[in-house]
Amino acid sequence: MEPVCIEDWEELAKRRLAPEVYDFIAGGAGRERSLQENISALERVKLISRVLRGISEVDTSAPRLSPLQSARPPATPLIVAPSAHHQLAHPEGELATLAAANQCGAPLIISTMSDTPLESLCKHSAEPVMFQLYLYKDRGRNRDMIQQAQDTGCSALVLTVDVPRMGARLRDRRNGFDVKRYQSRADKLGEPPYMQAPIPGQSGVAAFVAEQLEPALSWDDVDWVKNQTRMPLILKGVLHPQDAEIALEHDVDALYLSNHGGRQLDHHVSAIDMLPHIRRRVGATMPLIVDGGVRSGADILKALALGADAVGVGRPVLWGLAAAGVHGVAAVLRQLIDDLTLSMHICGCATLADISQEIIWTEHPSHQGEPL
């Protein structure tokens, strides 16, 4: 029987992945309070259905994302969030994820840490893709990656700004996790990608970040990136309303609200809690993407009602990929889109333009008034 919800897909993926690979994907920072808070924040938000609206069909197309998708409105506001090393989950890696996203009309953000070259992915994509950029200490390398993304036809550049240092991912430290031990062998042998023994207490991923990525990111770097490209620039990792306002001053084209899936800081506020405050600060025209804890179409509807234009999904895509490759990712995306369509219909929303806070009920104080 095929899994029917995200939790089913995760359970199947967990059985198929090496334990330390599952931990790398599933884990968060510290004692993982932020990871749980992302889910809890969405659970606190309730939907209020409107009735007798005369709706026979629901349209989930997202025209407000057109400027980020080469002027092509995507069929869904569901975005495949950037995540690293898809070959850890399945030998076909990002190519499988891309094929499934194209099947479902879902926009895709390709990670800097993709196992598949960007040029190959863009060549195989029937839809515009966006490229997520980590800034390296090597400015020339950054320039080359930006130019490659532009030359291969990426529709937008997503600059991640919330990783000046790697968060304290305790699962990876316990496992001595290092991506290098898992690369390519599964492709060639059809075997679980076990390699050299881990070094307990050390994380190869954290060592890579400390050695390679720029720790002193600033607004000057945002300006530098913007001056390197004609692509729209999206800032990923914004949580504070004041930072959102500063982004407007730097002519950023869109904001991606995220706490990095709870992977950077324990006790981090959830992006969903900050969403309505940031929407009020930046006004109605700035496109906002949000992620963190999304496990159903109802969760996507909640985020849209609170002010998002699009909703990123990360781990669920990897669960589908690990469980069943292209078919698994496509099934996960279709289940989420179908559930969004169902939730919109029951709540009386025929299009995304009909979605507003009138279908939301929450007693959480962060959705009332202005913070800080």
Side-chain angles (χ1 to χ4, degrees), residues 190-210:
E191 299 175 357
Y194 295 108
M195 289 191 178
Q196 66 201 54
I199 304 175
Q202 298 184 23
S203 164
V205 180
F208 172 84
V209 169

Side-chain angles (χ1 to χ4, degrees), residues 284-298:
T285 58
M286 168 74 82
L288 295 182
I289 305 166
V290 67
D291 71 11
V294 173
R295 298 294 182 268
S296 68

